[in-house]
Structures are given as structure tokens and as C-alpha cells.
Amino acid sequence: MAKLVLATKNRGKVKELVDMLSDIEGLEIMSLLDFPEDKVPEIKETGSTFEENAFIKAYEVAKATGLPALADDSGLEVDALGGKPGVRSARFGGEGLSDAERNEKLLKLLENVDERNRTARFRCCMVLVVPPEFDKYVTEGVCEGVIAFKPKGKHGFGYDPIFYVPRLGKTMAELPREEKNRISHRAQALEKMKEIIRRVLL
Ligand code: ITT
């Protein structure tokens, strides 16, 4: 059985990635949540792009575990904020905030922005790093939407309750898991990565 480590501790991401990878036979999937804390040193996301950060995470995990590692670096780009929070999405507003508090901060910043100017997108860069040569494979996915005026929906994680998808008339958090996993930035990046996984790991 080929092994793949998901280089993330974000439970929301792990759930979605495991779901979306479940149709690949012969692949044993683990994540950082399955390893003791001291197996992988704390990873500093010092890059200035999603790709740099995804590579840092995948490379560090591949090096520490000796196994192929798949990292996801993702975030929300809000046009009215010049693309912020972007690569800083997980830390926006300060460390230690809950998802709901982060969403409130963002909504406050957009208080006086009308509907037309609330466009935004989720972006996801995935990097697969395969030892022993640490070969690198990169894919990307984007999902366009609009920042809602208030949070709605209970599914998903992160900014999902305030990310409205006009063509579906719902926020990302109102979509059932299967539907988010068909249209999301992560789904699109992973669809391309699955071809690479089949070719390189199986
Ligand atoms: P890892 O680095 O351990 O993977 P993280 O949460 O720190 O976990 P990122 O650095 O990639 O991950 O930050 C991505 C942030 O962007 C994430 O914490 C969410 O706030 C947001 N985000 C990414 N994908 C999202 C999604 O599908 N729905 C809602 N918010 C999302």
C-alpha cells in the first residue's frame, strides 16, 4: 500500500482531503494529526506566496517522516482589501482568534463596502514532495465568490460562513460537504493533484 502524509493539522482540511482522496485505491492516507508532536518540528510559514508556504510544509514533513507529503496552503483574497488576508488568512486579526471572531473582524472591515465591491476568492496551492529526491509537484485551484453581510451556515470551516457563492445562492457553509468538495478551490487543486498521485505514487 502506498503511503501519503497530509502535511496539515487543520481538521477541516484533513476531513475534506480524506473525503476527496477516498476513491484512490491502494493509498494509505495519514495526516500530521497521526504523528506525535515531536516527530515533525514546528513549521514556520515564512513564504510570501501560497506556493512557497505549501512547499515549506510538504518538504519539512517529507523530510521528517521519509514519506511522500501533500501540503495545502490556502486562503481568502478580498478585492476591497487589496487581496488580503491572502497568505495570512489563518492568522488574520491575531493568533488565537476563533473562526467566528475572524469572520466578525473581516465583516467589520467591509462594513461600508457595497455588494458590487465585495468580490473575493478562495485560492489553494497544493504541493506534493516525494522522497528520496524530494521531487516537487504543484497544482492550484480558485473559487470565486462574494463576502456576505453576515455569517450563514454550519458546514465547513474558516471563512465558509461569510463566503457567498452567487451561482449557488448559498454561502460555502450552507453547502453539504459533497457539494463544497465538488466546487471548492481545494477540490480543484486536488483533482489535478490526483492524476499526479496516481502516476507518481501508485
Ligand atoms: P495548515 O498550515 O496546518 O495546513 P492552516 O489552517 O494554518 O493549517 P493555511 O496556512 O493554509 O492553513 O491557512 C489557510 C486559512 O485560510 C485557514 O485557516 C482558513 O482560515 C482559510 N481557508 C482555507 N481554505 C478554506 C476553506 O475551504 N474554507 C474556509 N476557510 C478556508
Side-chain angles (χ1 to χ4, degrees):
M1 193 92 152
K3 290 186 173 167
L4 177 66
V5 185
L6 305 176
T8 178
K9 288 185 179 171
N10 179 321
R11 286 175 199 277
K13 284 187 188 176
V14 171
K15 230 195 255 177
E16 290 182 12
L17 292 169
V18 166
D19 245 25
M20 292 188 276
L21 287 165
S22 63
D23 62 336
I24 301 189
E25 280 177 32
L27 189 65
E28 184 187 340
I29 303 161
M30 288 163 280
S31 81
L32 284 187
L33 300 169
D34 301 313
F35 290 87
E37 289 272 328
D38 58 356
K39 174 83 180 170
V40 182
E42 200 206 329
I43 300 169
K44 293 237 182 318
E45 294 183 31
T46 52
S48 55
T49 62
F50 291 113
E51 184 175 336
E52 281 171 16
N53 281 334
F55 177 73
I56 292 169
K57 292 189 265 191
Y59 176 74
E60 290 300 330
V61 172
K63 199 167 69 165
T65 61
L67 295 169
L70 178 66
D72 161 320
D73 201 66
S74 45
L76 180 66
E77 295 173 349
V78 179
D79 292 328
L81 302 177
K84 286 187 177 144
V87 288
R88 294 192 43 83
S89 292
R91 290 154 283 165
F92 168 72
E95 307 273 350
L97 292 190
S98 67
D99 284 345
E101 288 167 334
R102 251 183 255 290
N103 287 339
E104 281 310 322
K105 288 224 161 193
L106 193 65
L107 289 180
K108 187 101 187 105
L109 281 182
L110 296 183
E111 213 169 29
N112 298 317
V113 179
D114 64 13
E115 195 168 344
R116 267 181 324 131
N117 292 307
R118 297 175 78 92
T119 48
R121 67 206 52 77
F122 276 127
R123 190 179 294 280
C124 171
C125 178
M126 280 195 188
V127 173
L128 173 70
V129 170
V130 185
E133 304 294 339
F134 298 101
D135 301 315
K136 172 189 170 192
Y137 304 88
V138 182
T139 63
E140 247 214 347
V142 172
C143 181
E144 298 284 342
V146 170
I147 303 302
F149 286 94
K150 57 181 187 348
K152 212 167 167 202
K154 296 264 174 279
H155 302 289
F157 66 97
Y159 299 97
D160 283 341
I162 61 166
F163 188 85
Y164 182 77
V165 187
R167 67 193 159 99
L168 300 177
K170 287 181 178 156
T171 68
M172 203 69 124
E174 291 182 287
L175 301 179
R177 187 135 55 112
E178 314 79 67
E179 204 168 348
K180 177 179 175 187
N181 286 349
R182 264 199 301 276
I183 63 144
S184 77
H185 49 312
R186 185 161 299 102
Q188 294 178 46
L190 191 61
E191 233 12 81
K192 298 175 208 162
M193 192 54 90
K194 276 160 93 167
E195 286 174 32
I196 297 170
I197 289 173
R198 288 199 174 90
R199 179 158 51 81
V200 177
L201 300 187
L202 300 180

